[in-house]
Amino acid sequence: MEKILDNRYYDLIISNELVTSYNTGDNITRMNEMFSLLHIPKDRMEPCDLGVNSYHSFPELYTLESDISTETSGGGSEQVSPARGLFGRGVIVGIVDTGIDYRHPAFMNNDKTTRILSIWDQTVEGTPPAGFTFGSEYTKELINFALLSQYPYAIVPTDDPYRHGTAISSIIAGGSSDNKGFTGVVPQADLVVVKLKEAKENLKRLFCVSTSALCYQESDIIMGIRYLLNVAKKLNRPLVICLAIGSNQGGHDGRGALSTYLDSLMQLPKISIVTSAGNEGNSRRHYYGEIKKEPYFESFQLNSGAADNEYFIEIWPYIPSRLSVQLTAPTWETSEVIKPAIGECRKLTFQSIKTNVWVNNILFESDTGSQLILLRFRNMAPGIWYIRLDSKDLAPFSFHCWLPSGNMLSNETNFVNSDPSTTITMQGDTTNLLTVAAYNQNNGTILAESSRGYTRLGQIKPDLAAPGYNIPCAIPDYQYGAATGTGAAAAHAAGKAAMIIEWAYVKGNYTAITGNQINSLMMRSAERDSNSVYPNNIWGYGKLSTENIFNEILDF
């Protein structure tokens, strides 16, 4: 079995500059031009393997950013006037998600052939794409052959069991269905799809995430994006990528392996990348503390729900703080004080309730230079927990604290006195990506779950808001439904980005256009309320406006 699939190996993200130092022949998987995976064998996986190995070398865990229902909606998202003549022709839409139901008519031409150029299914062992070592690639020709068969899955055995990838793909590039009243934003665009494999069990166990939780690891997303780029480059076609996934891990500052990679791509011509802001606005999974005067400590409360047996918390103080941490259980049993250190992992056992807690109080997290306090709980006792932070320097301090995103945690677990701001998920904090919040297009209000900015370092996010409530979509098994959330909003915005690229590159109006320039155009032309100040941490620069975009384009 490939080591990248083998749970007896950790996958650690390393710089390509370090590959020669670690390479023993078969323990390296190249991810992209910047990073590779180092596969480390372990006979016995332990939580304190994080401590021996640095925090940022372990891939982050990502969850889905839309809820998909089988009920069709009469709502929908505003479509561009057909007079513009922009339907995505010549543009590739790249999806890195849960897969796609290639049998759905939404992804076919009028002659019943597919508009999917290729699929890389990371979950099925077979013939990997060139330059990759796992999964199976299915070409357009093979998909068309399967569509002619009575048993298509015998020929192309890839599907979308969670419906999310199919929904996102169709919102952007689904073909028209007259009897369902459905059409995607750019129904003539072609698709390239990556079906992500689920995160390794050893990575879930390391972060005390339930092995049944549906989540994906950062490294597979990075390789999925490289695959999309390879296909677009081979065909010499412009590419729009939609990332309808998110993570609450990391410093929420636009750093990290995925963010660094995405940021670099936005400077290139013919590429646009759009991502969801996250659905953490009303989840009560973020806490902010600011201590200005003596005594220099903060004690805040975590309400741990009975449904959540294991999970993690990340606490990110601002430089130059040096904070110690102490925990008090619902039984009032109190732990020792854990001071900041480098490369140290401490296991705490609360005898009264048999809860285990692993504490990494990292003085200098090597990727960001900030302090990070990582708490990982197993056999977690329900009730109110107290987390106390003390300044070793007896000085004012402030910090952010995040629980896991999406379905890695139930709604029963939350912070008392939580803060809805600074809840943009990790890749949404990337400086140059177009980060999209979601609003209800039926009444013009922001969705309660739509994540709020700014980033931890105060950069403006989200960039704008797009329709994200009950957006009509295709779902597997020839059905139609509706999607709600910032994933659906990002898909809508990605469709508009594809229209801009078609106008600029395919139609020859501005062939050097970059993702950054597309972002600027969409933000400049956003619809703004005269009673609000922009940019702000809820709407960014305002509501995405198709007509304003093309009015501005035609004035070039």
Side-chain angles (χ1 to χ4, degrees), residues 231-302:
V231 175
K233 183 177 181 180
K234 180 179 177 182
L235 297 174
N236 192 26
R237 300 266 295 275
L239 173 66
V240 175
I241 299 173
C242 181
L243 295 175
I245 48 182
S247 175
N248 259 354
Q249 290 183 263
H252 292 250
D253 53 11
R255 296 190 177 106
L258 177 58
S259 291
T260 301
Y261 183 38
L262 296 172
D263 230 11
S264 70
L265 298 176
M266 293 298 287
Q267 323 299 325
L268 303 177
K270 301 193 299 182
I271 296 173
S272 174
I273 307 174
V274 179
T275 192
S276 50
N279 298 328
E280 300 296 319
N282 64 348
S283 67
R284 303 180 67 189
R285 295 175 184 172
H286 169 250
Y287 182 87
Y288 174 70
E290 186 176 59
I291 306 305
K292 298 180 178 179
K293 58 185 180 180
E294 295 184 272
Y296 296 113
F297 78 89
E298 166 87 325
S299 181
F300 59 101
Q301 299 173 50
L302 168 72

Side-chain angles (χ1 to χ4, degrees), residues 347-417:
K347 181 182 179 181
L348 306 175
T349 300
F350 287 82
Q351 299 296 336
S352 59
I353 48 179
K354 306 304 179 187
T355 293
N356 291 323
V357 186
W358 288 268
V359 182
N360 297 80
N361 191 345
I362 306 167
L363 178 60
F364 185 83
E365 196 279 310
S366 51
D367 196 41
T368 62
S370 299
Q371 184 181 1
L372 164 62
I373 302 172
L374 174 65
L375 308 175
R376 290 170 288 165
F377 303 93
R378 191 164 289 159
N379 194 30
M380 188 58 166
I384 299 296
W385 287 73
Y386 290 83
I387 302 173
R388 175 174 170 138
L389 303 176
D390 283 85
S391 169
K392 284 177 59 64
D393 304 305
L394 299 178
F397 66 90
S398 58
F399 64 94
H400 292 273
C401 186
W402 288 277
L403 285 158
S405 65
N407 70 326
M408 288 193 283
L409 201 66
S410 79
N411 291 329
E412 293 181 22
T413 297
N414 49 64
F415 292 116
V416 178
N417 300 320

Side-chain angles (χ1 to χ4, degrees), residues 323-350:
L323 308 183
S324 61
V325 62
Q326 185 179 39
L327 303 176
T328 299
T331 57
W332 296 106
E333 181 180 353
T334 299
S335 76
E336 61 183 293
V337 174
I338 307 295
K339 297 179 180 179
I342 294 176
E344 185 177 279
C345 174
R346 303 282 292 276
K347 181 182 179 181
L348 306 175
T349 300
F350 287 82

Side-chain angles (χ1 to χ4, degrees), residues 489-509:
H492 179 85
K496 304 305 181 184
M499 292 170 59
I500 296 171
I501 280 195
E502 182 186 2
W503 173 88
Y505 182 80
V506 178
K507 292 187 178 295
N509 290 299

Side-chain angles (χ1 to χ4, degrees), residues 184-227:
V185 180
V186 280
Q188 294 178 14
D190 293 322
L191 286 150
V192 179
V193 177
V194 176
K195 179 180 177 178
L196 292 167
K197 67 178 180 66
E198 291 189 39
K200 272 188 173 179
E201 184 176 318
N202 66 39
L203 186 61
K204 292 182 183 181
R205 299 302 294 158
L206 183 82
F207 282 106
C208 293
V209 170
S210 169
T211 55
S212 64
L214 179 63
C215 54
Y216 304 92
Q217 64 187 63
E218 180 183 19
S219 51
D220 294 328
I221 299 167
I222 291 173
M223 285 185 282
I225 291 166
R226 178 162 71 93
Y227 173 75

Side-chain angles (χ1 to χ4, degrees), residues 405-543:
S405 65
N407 70 326
M408 288 193 283
L409 201 66
S410 79
N411 291 329
E412 293 181 22
T413 297
N414 49 64
F415 292 116
V416 178
N417 300 320
S418 61
D419 178 13
S421 298
T422 327
T423 51
I424 304 285
T425 49
M426 183 58 183
Q427 89 292 341
D429 290 312
T430 304
T431 302
N432 291 305
L433 288 198
L434 187 75
T435 302
V436 183
Y439 73 93
N440 183 332
Q441 66 279 2
N442 297 330
N443 59 24
T445 60
I446 201 78
L447 294 190
E449 62 265 37
S450 184
S451 289
R452 273 66 164 165
Y454 298 113
T455 74
R456 185 172 66 93
L457 301 184
Q459 293 178 305
I460 294 166
K461 289 289 173 180
D463 295 306
L464 46 76
Y469 178 72
N470 276 356
I471 303 298
C473 62
I475 56 177
D477 296 323
Y478 312 104
Q479 299 181 68
Y480 290 87
T484 295
T486 61
H492 179 85
K496 304 305 181 184
M499 292 170 59
I500 296 171
I501 280 195
E502 182 186 2
W503 173 88
Y505 182 80
V506 178
K507 292 187 178 295
N509 290 299
Y510 184 30
T511 56
I513 195 165
T514 67
N516 268 343
Q517 291 167 335
I518 292 171
N519 291 358
S520 296
L521 178 60
M522 295 171 84
M523 290 186 286
R524 283 168 56 90
S525 59
E527 180 183 320
R528 287 177 273 273
D529 186 334
S530 60
N531 296 319
S532 298
V533 176
Y534 297 89
N536 59 58
N537 72 327
I538 295 175
W539 296 93
Y541 287 88
K543 295 178 181 177

